[in-house]
């Protein structure tokens, strides 16, 4: 290493250089001994020349000791070391530059982000201040506009009130002047006998004379008009004819007299009493109807002229005529909802007048229920004047035809809600005319005998947004119609009562349809082909079902109600007339959301189903361990109807009162226990009411009709124990006296009581004996496999058809 450093460094004194380096190595023991650590920094020269010169100077000729390739090897090693050092230094420099650049970039981004945040904060603060100022200015402007509007409105009201007062004052002055002229004319006649107008009554002040005549009846006033002209003027005063009582004159009053009086004093009549006037016939009542019509039209004219900003107007069951419609066409510019239900006195001409004016052009809701006098022309006039209609009601119109619907839909293209209840003769043509122009969301049709499957197909395909379908009594609906109805995606309410052709296949279309998870109300009353399999599918698929009615579905057994116990959202259940037994009732108790249960005419429900802890041998294994029955589970019930459930007794009421203390409505009309246990004494049944009034303090409606064992103790218990009672029915309660029942009348709004005999519809006589023996249903259990096979074969047959 020293020789190599000498050769490379080429010092002037080689020996001195070697000595110095050795001393340095001795002093620094940790120094790595290598030739590159032993030379001083000098300019490199050619290895071969330096090595030859140095070796020659020191050692002389050393050809045998050193070889030239060793020097070249030493130089190569040194060059490699230098290259590595340069590369490492260059790499560290590049890494440092990259680190500095990355740090500079990070600082730049941080600065930019900080600048953006500060700028956004400044902008948002400025915007918030601007919004606050704008809101303040806007609120001030609204207050100013409100003050101006109130002043203008007050001015308009005062002006209108002043006009009305002036008009009333002028009218009053006119009548007073007319009556004064009559009296003055009477005083100016000199051709009358001396005694005319000179009696004490005629000489009294006019107001005092009218006050005396006010105590006379109709007959006496008519007689006074024949005494003299002075008395006739007084007797014809308008205030004397404002209240006419024909009841006191019913012995002699005739149709001709009534017509003459009503025609003469029609503008002044405000009260008319015709009770007991059996001699009056159609002519008199026709005059009265004309009087009421004139009053109605005149009153409506005043109302419409004084209220030009009406939005909703209900004139149902009134005697309006075409005159009111004429006033509406002129004054009702902002009217949006109009009800003319059961108004029989207007005609198509009135509807034509409605279409000629500017009023009622913005109607969106129209009710024409019961207006059977409207023809096709009338509906055409409605379409011309009310083209923006969205909701139309045409209930109770048996004469409604397809031509009427076609005329209505010719220009009404915004219809969304249509109600045509009790219109039996509408056919598929009407449905197709409706769906061509309307996008229905609600449809109500009842008692129709003409609409077939093709009509329902067109309706369902053209109304994808239909949410409510009310179609009970449509006898031509079949399972094919249910297939189209089941394809609707937004159906929430579906009423299919009284459809005899509806079977399990149709229910399957509904349960497996896209709207099954959205269905909230379903009515299957009197659908006799509905069975346990249908209820199973509904319970499994309809997770949001709140209200279900299966009245008089005779093929439903306890298995159906076991499936209903799994419905998570069922609130109202109507099982009137079903063959449910105690097992099914116990299963319904598991529905924790149930609030209303209507189980009328379910004659096979007994006290055991309500509470008793009996374990029956015919119960399934899942119920053999049940010790908690219906009323212990359904403690949140608010309404329960067990009318005509002949097997219930005091024990049922006792346990209902003890557990279901939130009951508001309890109906148990016709509940007669025919067992010997109940026939022990009357006090036994009164105890049931004592239980009820002692625990259920929220009862508001109670029906005890036909409970023949109740006595006078019942009204006493109700009087002291039910402070919120509002309705009480006690028909055919022969053991409750009239005096005892009358004690409840001042405390309730609706009070009903009689001691008549039990009608035959209750199924038992006044002695508690059944009129007809009842037979227990044979089918106690459901055979799901058999029903599934039958349903599958039925679906295959339908598909083939």
């Amino acid at each position: 290493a020293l020789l190599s450093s000498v050769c490379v460094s080429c010092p002037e004194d080689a020996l001195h250089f070697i000595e110095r380096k050795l001393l340095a190595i001795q002093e620094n023991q940790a120094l790595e001994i290598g030739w590159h650590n032993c030379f001083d920094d000098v300019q490199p020269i050619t290895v071969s020349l330096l090595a030859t010169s140095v070796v020659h100077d020191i050692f002389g000729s050393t050809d045998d000791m050193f070889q030239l390739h060793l020097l070249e090897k030493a130089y190569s090693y040194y060059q490699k070391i230098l290259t590595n050092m340069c590369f490492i230094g260059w790499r560290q420099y590049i890494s440092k530059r990259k680190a500095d650049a990355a740090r500079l970039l990070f600082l730049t981004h941080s600065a930019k982000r900080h600048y953006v945040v500060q700028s956004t904060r400044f902008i948002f603060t400025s915007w918030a201040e601007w919004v606050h100022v704008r809101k303040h200015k806007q609120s001030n402007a609204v207050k100013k506009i409100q003050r101006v509007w109130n002043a203008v409105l007050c001015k308009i009201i005062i002006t209108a009130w002043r006009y009305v007062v002036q008009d009333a004052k002028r009218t009053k002055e006119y009548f007073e002047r007319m009556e004064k002229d009559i009296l003055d004319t009477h005083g100016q006649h000199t051709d009358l006998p001396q005694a005319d107008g000179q009696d004490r009554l005629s000489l009294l002040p006019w107001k005092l004379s009218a006050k005396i005549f006010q105590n006379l009846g109709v007959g006496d006033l008519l007689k006074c008009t024949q005494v003299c002209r002075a008395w006739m003027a007084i007797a014809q005063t308008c205030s004397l004819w404002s209240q006419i009582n024909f009841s006191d004159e019913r012995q002699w009053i005739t149709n001709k007299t009534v017509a003459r009086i009503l025609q003469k004093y029609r503008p002044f009549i405000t009260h008319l009493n015709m009770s007991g006037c059996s001699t009056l016939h159609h002519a008199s009542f026709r005059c009265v109807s004309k009087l009421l019509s004139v009053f109605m039209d005149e009153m409506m004219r005043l109302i419409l002229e004084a209220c030009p900003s009406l939005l909703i107007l209900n004139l149902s069951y009134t005697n309006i005529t075409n005159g009111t419609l004429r006033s509406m066409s002129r004054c009702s510019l902002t009217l949006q909802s109009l009800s003319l239900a059961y108004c029989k006195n207007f005609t198509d001409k009135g509807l034509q007048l409605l279409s000629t004016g500017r009023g009622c052009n913005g109607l969106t809701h129209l009710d024409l229920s019961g207006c059977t006098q409207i023809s096709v022309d009338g509906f055409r006039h409605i379409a011309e004047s009310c083209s923006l209609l969205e909701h139309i009601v045409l209930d109770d119109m048996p004469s409604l035809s397809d031509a009427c619907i076609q005329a209505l839909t010719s220009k009404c293209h915004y219809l969304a809600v249509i109600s045509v209840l009790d219109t039996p003769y509408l056919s598929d043509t009407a449905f197709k005319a409706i769906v061509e122009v309307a996008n229905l969301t609600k449809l109500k049709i009842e008692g129709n005998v003409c609409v077939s499957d093709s009509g329902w197909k067109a309706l369902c395909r053209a109304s994808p947004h239909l949410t409510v379908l009310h179609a009970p009594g449509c006898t031509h609906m079949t399972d094919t119609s249910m297939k189209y109805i089941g394809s609707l995606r937004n159906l929430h309410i579906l009423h299919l009562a009284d459809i005899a052709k509806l079977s399990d296949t149709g229910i399957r279309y509904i349960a497996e349809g896209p709207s099954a998870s959205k269905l909230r109300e379903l009515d299957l009353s009197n659908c006799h082909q509905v069975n346990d399999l249908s209820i199973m599918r509904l319970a499994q698929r309809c997770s949001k079902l709140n209200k279900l009615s299966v009245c008089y579905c005779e093929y439903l057994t306890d298995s159906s109600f076991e499936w209903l116990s799994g419905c998570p959202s069922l609130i109202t259940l109507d099982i009137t007339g079903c063959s449910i037994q105690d097992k099914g009732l116990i299963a319904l108790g598991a529905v924790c959301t149930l609030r209303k249960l209507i189980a009328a005419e379910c004659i096979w429900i007994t006290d055991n189903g309500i509470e008793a802890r009996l374990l029956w041998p015919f119960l399934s294994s899942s119920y053999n361990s049940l010790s908690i029955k219906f009323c212990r589970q359904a403690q949140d019930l608010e309404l329960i109807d067990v009318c005509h459930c002949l097997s219930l007794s005091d024990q049922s009421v006792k346990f209902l009162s003890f557990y279901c203390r939130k009951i508001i409505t309890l109906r148990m009309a016709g509940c007669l226990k025919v067992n010997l246990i109940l026939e022990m004494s009357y006090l036994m049944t009164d105890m049931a009411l004592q239980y009820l009034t002692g625990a259920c303090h929220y009862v508001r409606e109670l029906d005890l009709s036909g409970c023949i064992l109740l006595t006078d103790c019942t009204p006493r218990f109700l009087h002291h124990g039910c402070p919120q009672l509002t309705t009480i029915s006690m028909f055919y309660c022969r053991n409750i006296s009239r005096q005892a029942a009358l004690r409840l009348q001042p405390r309730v709004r609706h009070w009903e009581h009689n001691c008549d005999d039990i009608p035959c519809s209750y199924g038992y006589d006044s002695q508690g004996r059944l009129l007809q023996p009842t037979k227990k249903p044979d089918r106690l259990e459901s055979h799901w496999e058999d029903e599934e096979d039958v349903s599958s074969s039925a679906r295959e047959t339908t598909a083939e058809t």
Side-chain angles (χ1 to χ4, degrees):
L2 290 175
L3 290 178
S4 299
S5 62
V6 169
C7 294
V8 174
S9 300
C10 299
E12 295 179 356
D13 190 354
L15 294 178
H16 180 71
F17 176 80
I18 293 173
E19 182 181 1
R20 182 164 51 85
K21 291 296 179 181
L22 289 175
L23 292 175
I25 291 172
Q26 288 179 356
E27 292 177 359
N28 189 2
Q29 297 294 333
L31 181 65
E32 181 182 358
I33 301 176
W35 66 272
H36 57 279
N37 293 327
C38 297
F39 64 87
D40 296 330
D41 296 333
V42 295
Q43 294 293 334
I45 57 174
T46 306
V47 176
S48 60
L49 295 177
L50 290 175
T52 303
S53 175
V54 171
V55 173
H56 184 272
D57 292 339
I58 299 175
F59 300 102
S61 179
T62 57
D63 293 336
D64 296 333
M65 297 177 61
F66 299 99
Q67 297 180 359
L68 185 60
H69 70 279
L70 294 178
L71 296 176
E72 292 178 354
K73 186 175 180 180
Y75 178 75
S76 299
Y77 181 73
Y78 175 71
Q79 187 178 13
K80 181 177 179 182
I81 293 299
L82 288 179
T83 303
N84 290 337
M85 291 174 63
C86 293
F87 180 75
I88 292 171
W90 172 78
R91 187 172 61 181
Q92 292 177 352
Y93 170 75
I94 295 299
S95 300
K96 184 178 180 182
R97 286 193 61 183
K98 287 184 179 180
D100 293 341
R103 184 172 177 275
L104 181 61
L105 183 62
F106 174 75
L107 294 176
T108 303
H109 284 304
S110 300
K112 185 177 181 180
R113 188 164 55 253
H114 178 72
Y115 174 75
V116 170
V117 171
Q118 293 297 329
S119 301
T120 305
R121 181 178 298 173
F122 175 75
I123 293 171
F124 181 77
T125 304
S126 303
W127 174 77
E129 294 176 355
W130 179 81
V131 169
H132 179 71
V133 173
R134 291 292 296 177
K135 285 185 177 180
H136 182 69
K137 292 182 179 179
Q138 185 177 4
S139 62
N140 293 336
V142 169
K143 291 179 181 178
K144 293 180 181 179
I145 294 173
Q146 189 68 33
R147 284 197 298 269
V148 174
W149 167 252
N150 292 337
V152 173
L153 183 61
C154 184
K155 185 177 180 181
I156 293 173
I157 293 174
I158 293 175
T159 304
W161 172 78
R162 183 179 180 185
Y163 171 77
V164 173
V165 170
Q166 290 177 352
D167 184 65
K169 186 177 181 180
R170 286 195 297 267
T171 305
K172 182 178 179 181
E173 291 176 353
Y174 169 75
F175 284 109
E176 290 179 353
R177 186 168 58 253
M178 183 178 63
E179 294 172 355
K180 185 177 180 181
D181 291 341
I182 294 174
L183 294 176
D184 292 342
T185 303
H186 164 68
Q188 293 174 1
H189 282 288
T190 58
D191 55 344
L192 294 175
Q194 184 67 26
D196 189 11
Q198 299 300 319
D199 59 286
R200 294 181 179 180
L201 184 60
S202 300
L203 295 176
L204 290 174
W206 175 80
K207 291 185 177 181
L208 185 57
S209 301
K211 191 71 174 177
I212 295 173
F213 274 67
Q214 189 175 0
N215 297 319
L216 301 179
V218 175
D220 295 333
L221 287 175
L222 294 177
K223 293 176 182 179
C224 290
T225 58
Q226 300 175 2
V227 174
C228 63
R229 294 187 179 183
W231 283 37
M232 182 180 67
I234 299 173
Q236 290 179 349
T237 304
C238 59
S239 60
L240 299 178
W241 297 95
S242 61
Q243 296 185 2
I244 299 178
N245 187 3
F246 288 135
S247 178
D248 296 338
E249 316 295 337
R250 59 180 177 271
Q251 301 297 332
W252 63 271
I253 200 73
T254 61
N255 294 321
K256 186 176 180 180
T257 306
V258 170
R260 183 163 54 87
I261 293 174
L262 293 179
Q263 290 176 1
K264 187 173 183 179
Y265 302 105
R266 182 175 62 188
F268 316 115
I269 299 175
T270 60
H271 177 81
L272 182 62
N273 184 4
M274 301 179 67
S275 60
C277 299
S278 58
T279 58
L280 299 181
H281 301 296
H282 184 265
S284 299
F285 292 101
R286 183 165 61 246
C287 294
V288 174
S289 65
K290 291 181 180 179
L291 172 66
L292 294 177
S293 298
V294 172
F295 274 142
M296 193 68 192
D297 290 337
E298 183 65 20
M299 187 165 45
M300 287 308 304
R301 181 185 67 80
L302 295 176
I303 292 175
L304 294 173
E305 289 178 354
C307 304
S309 301
L310 275 178
L311 297 178
I312 300 174
L313 182 60
N314 187 349
L315 299 175
S316 55
Y317 296 94
T318 58
N319 295 318
I320 63 167
T321 62
N322 295 336
T324 299
L325 298 182
R326 183 187 296 107
S327 301
M328 291 171 56
S329 65
R330 187 179 68 256
C331 304
S332 302
L333 304 180
T334 60
L335 195 63
Q336 295 182 2
S337 177
L338 175 62
S339 176
L340 300 176
Y342 303 97
C343 297
K344 302 288 187 177
N345 294 333
F346 71 90
T347 61
D348 294 342
K349 185 178 179 180
L351 296 175
Q352 185 178 7
L353 294 173
L354 195 66
S355 64
T356 56
R358 294 183 302 165
C360 300
N361 291 334
L363 273 181
T364 59
H365 180 279
L366 181 61
D367 189 353
L368 296 175
S369 300
C371 299
T372 55
Q373 74 275 15
I374 303 177
S375 64
V376 179
D377 294 334
F379 282 100
R380 189 175 294 110
H381 297 321
I382 293 173
E384 292 175 357
S385 60
C386 309
S387 58
L388 300 179
L389 274 179
E390 298 178 1
H391 185 171
I392 188 165
V393 182
L394 303 174
D395 300 340
D396 294 331
M397 297 182 66
S399 59
L400 191 67
S401 61
D402 296 340
C404 298
I405 297 298
Q406 290 174 344
L408 179 65
T409 57
S410 60
K411 294 186 178 180
C412 297
H413 297 167
Y414 299 97
L415 288 175
V417 180
I418 296 179
S419 179
V420 285
L421 305 180
D422 294 326
T423 53
Y425 300 113
L426 291 181
S427 65
D428 297 339
T429 305
F431 269 54
K432 293 177 181 178
I434 292 173
V435 300
E436 285 179 359
V437 298
N439 188 10
L440 294 181
T441 58
K442 295 181 181 180
L443 175 64
K444 295 183 179 181
I445 179 172
E446 184 175 352
N448 188 278
V449 296
C450 296
V451 180
S452 62
D453 294 337
S454 60
W456 291 108
K457 178 180 179 181
L459 173 70
C460 296
R461 289 189 175 181
S463 305
H465 302 292
L466 197 65
T467 59
V468 177
L469 180 58
H470 180 84
C474 297
T475 56
H476 283 180
M477 291 184 70
T478 64
D479 292 338
T480 305
S481 303
M482 295 300 107
K483 180 178 181 181
Y484 303 128
I485 295 174
S487 63
L488 297 172
R489 296 184 175 273
N490 299 300
L491 200 60
H492 293 164
I493 299 176
L494 181 60
H495 294 169
L496 301 173
D498 302 319
I499 299 179
K501 298 180 181 179
L502 179 60
S503 66
D504 173 67
T505 304
I507 299 299
R508 180 174 183 176
Y509 289 137
I510 300 296
E512 296 181 355
S515 61
S517 59
K518 303 176 183 179
L519 201 62
R520 296 197 301 266
E521 291 186 17
L522 181 60
D523 188 357
L524 300 175
S525 301
N526 286 317
C527 296
H528 300 293
Q529 297 187 34
V530 174
N531 54 28
D532 295 344
L533 187 58
S534 304
I535 301 300
M536 180 193 70
R537 288 177 176 141
L538 292 174
Q540 290 177 343
R541 301 296 181 90
C542 302
S543 57
K544 294 184 179 180
L545 192 62
N546 300 138
K547 185 176 180 180
L548 177 64
S549 177
V550 289
C551 302
Y552 302 105
C553 293
E554 56 188 13
Y555 289 108
L556 296 183
T557 65
D558 290 342
S559 300
S560 300
F561 305 108
E562 292 178 18
W563 283 107
L564 287 177
S565 63
C567 290
S569 59
L570 192 61
I571 297 176
T572 303
L573 179 62
D574 190 350
I575 56 173
T576 301
C578 292
S579 301
I580 183 175
Q581 300 184 37
D582 294 331
K583 178 182 176 182
L585 186 63
I586 295 171
L588 289 178
V591 185
C592 58
T593 59
L594 194 63
R595 297 294 180 270
K596 299 180 181 180
L597 177 63
I598 304 174
E601 301 182 31
C602 296
I603 60 176
W604 303 114
I605 295 177
T606 66
D607 295 338
N608 294 330
I610 296 293
E611 205 284 330
R613 293 172 175 263
L614 299 178
L615 299 178
W616 307 314
F618 57 85
L619 287 180
S620 60
S621 58
S622 61
Y623 281 89
N624 285 338
S625 60
L626 261 175
S627 61
I628 299 179
K629 301 300 174 68
F630 172 75
C631 64
R632 296 193 175 208
Q633 296 172 318
Q635 297 187 9
D636 294 329
L637 274 179
E638 297 177 359
L639 182 149
I640 182 167
D641 186 344
V642 289
C643 296
H644 304 285
C645 294
L646 303 179
S647 300
L648 296 182
S649 67
D650 296 345
Q651 294 300 317
S652 299
V653 180
K654 175 181 178 180
F655 290 113
L656 281 173
S657 304
F658 185 77
Y659 293 107
C660 306
R661 300 192 177 187
K662 299 180 181 178
I663 290 180
I664 297 176
T665 302
L666 177 60
R667 301 169 188 159
M668 48 184 185
C671 288
L672 178 70
K673 182 71 173 180
V674 295
N675 293 342
L676 294 176
I677 299 176
L678 242 182
E679 295 177 356
M680 291 172 60
S681 65
Y682 291 160
L683 186 60
M684 186 76 171
T685 304
D686 289 330
M687 286 299 295
L689 272 298
Q690 188 173 7
Y691 293 142
L692 181 68
T693 56
C696 299
H697 301 293
Y698 304 103
V699 175
R700 298 179 184 176
E701 181 180 348
L702 187 61
D703 190 354
L704 305 174
S705 302
C707 297
I708 60 177
L709 302 181
L710 297 178
T711 66
D712 291 345
C713 296
T714 294
R716 186 170 67 251
F717 293 149
L718 294 175
H719 186 274
H720 296 287
C722 294
Q724 300 186 18
L725 190 65
T726 59
T727 302
I728 179 69
S729 296
M730 296 181 291
F731 288 123
Y732 318 117
C733 295
R734 59 178 184 175
N735 292 318
I736 298 179
S737 63
R738 186 75 174 177
Q739 293 77 10
L742 286 173
R743 297 175 186 171
L744 290 175
Q745 190 173 12
R747 294 190 60 247
V748 298
R749 297 178 186 174
H750 305 284
W751 175 88
E752 296 173 333
H753 170 263
N754 63 32
C755 299
D756 299 341
D757 293 333
I758 299 291
C760 297
S761 59
Y762 275 59
Y764 56 90
D765 57 14
S766 58
Q767 302 299 325
R769 296 188 296 266
L770 293 178
L771 299 179
Q772 293 181 355
T774 55
K775 183 180 179 182
K776 199 168 186 178
D778 297 332
R779 187 178 183 186
L780 298 178
E781 297 293 338
S782 295
H783 303 284
W784 299 101
E785 297 81 2
D786 298 341
E787 292 181 355
E788 184 70 34
D789 296 339
V790 173
S791 179
S792 300
S793 61
R795 288 195 300 272
E796 294 175 358
T797 305
T798 303
E800 293 175 358
T801 304

